[in-house]
Amino acid sequence: GAGVSQSPSNKVTEKGKDVELRCDPISGHTALYWYRQRLGQGLEFLIYFQGNSAPDKSGLPSDRFSAERTGESVSTLTIQRTQQEDSAVYLCASSRDFTEAFFGQGTRLTVV
Amino acid sequence: TQLLEQSPQFLSIQEGENLTVYCNSSSVFSSLQWYRQEPGEGPVLLVTVVTGGEVKKLKRLTFQFGDARKDSSLHITAAQPGDTGLYLCAGEFNRLAFGKGNQVVVIP
């Protein structure tokens, strides 16, 4: 596809379970970002990948959160032992360096 | 530490009124981007301002980059319900950094 693709679009999970969110960036985009957005709030930066450089993990809220990216392709965000406070929309974006960021539709995570 | 501060966080106005929202930083940016996010969607780029003092217009939206390239404003003339959304500014700071956004609600 031509845009950033995220899956699943919706995920309901039980408290304490692990979840894995996937992001397929636009081909050729070296930069990839993950953000969390709680209901009615702005974007909360989680992690940034740029090519083969070490990722900027400064926004990850706890060690239950981790993310991987293979080269310049797909990325996965994993949340272990989910808590209700993790309920939010998780947005992925990709870009060429610092130019326009293209966002996916997001994954709406609900922890019950 | 928030690299880009946006104000006001929330603004509700009547259709036809004008509004201005702001994006401020203590850092100098080579460029600033403005995005709009509509409910249920990801943010979409509206405009990029590059030169200090630059003014760009997109229909009823006017974007200005401060002379010192540390701040920017977005002015909406005769707001319409379709202008409702979260407006985000973004600038380059080791990575593309986003502000928290200006939530704008235009009431019909």
Side-chain angles (χ1 to χ4, degrees), chain B residues 32-67:
Chain B
L32 269 179
Q33 302 169 9
W34 281 94
Y35 293 74
R36 179 169 63 207
Q37 182 182 27
E38 297 182 8
E41 303 288 328
V44 175
L45 181 69
L46 295 174
V47 76
T48 301
V49 286
V50 178
T51 306
E54 179 177 7
V55 176
K56 279 193 173 179
K57 294 195 174 185
L58 189 65
K59 296 182 181 178
R60 292 173 295 94
L61 277 60
T62 301
F63 303 85
Q64 182 158 11
F65 202 10
D67 291 341

Side-chain angles (χ1 to χ4, degrees), chain A residues 33 48 97-99, chain B residues 3-4 25 27-33 89-98:
Chain A
Y33 303 79
Y48 163 59
D97 300 325
F98 300 108
T99 57
Chain B
L3 298 169
L4 289 162
S25 176
S27 300
V28 175
F29 290 96
S30 57
S31 65
L32 269 179
Q33 302 169 9
C89 64
E92 175 187 338
F93 192 82
N94 298 321
R95 56 173 170 84
L96 196 59
F98 282 82

Side-chain angles (χ1 to χ4, degrees), chain A residues 6 21 23 30-37 43-51 53-70 74-79 90-95 101 103, chain B residues 94-98:
Chain A
Q6 290 188 246
L21 312 181
C23 173
T30 56
L32 187 146
Y33 303 79
W34 282 99
Y35 293 92
R36 178 169 70 181
Q37 187 172 36
L43 301 183
E44 179 184 357
F45 167 72
L46 296 177
I47 190 168
Y48 163 59
F49 295 92
Q50 173 61 269
S53 302
D56 176 356
K57 303 180 181 181
S58 60
L60 295 178
S62 77
D63 59 9
R64 295 188 296 106
F65 288 72
S66 63
E68 294 183 348
R69 187 184 187 193
T70 308
V74 65
S75 175
T76 55
L77 175 68
T78 302
I79 308 173
Y90 290 81
L91 287 164
C92 173
S94 71
S95 72
F103 285 80
Chain B
N94 298 321
R95 56 173 170 84
L96 196 59
F98 282 82

Side-chain angles (χ1 to χ4, degrees), chain B residues 13 15-19 36 56-63 74-84 87 106:
Chain B
I13 62 168
E15 181 178 357
E17 293 183 340
N18 301 332
L19 69 97
R36 179 169 63 207
K56 279 193 173 179
K57 294 195 174 185
L58 189 65
K59 296 182 181 178
R60 292 173 295 94
L61 277 60
T62 301
F63 303 85
L74 160 59
H75 180 80
I76 303 178
T77 303
Q80 302 295 309
D83 298 325
T84 293
Y87 290 83
V106 182

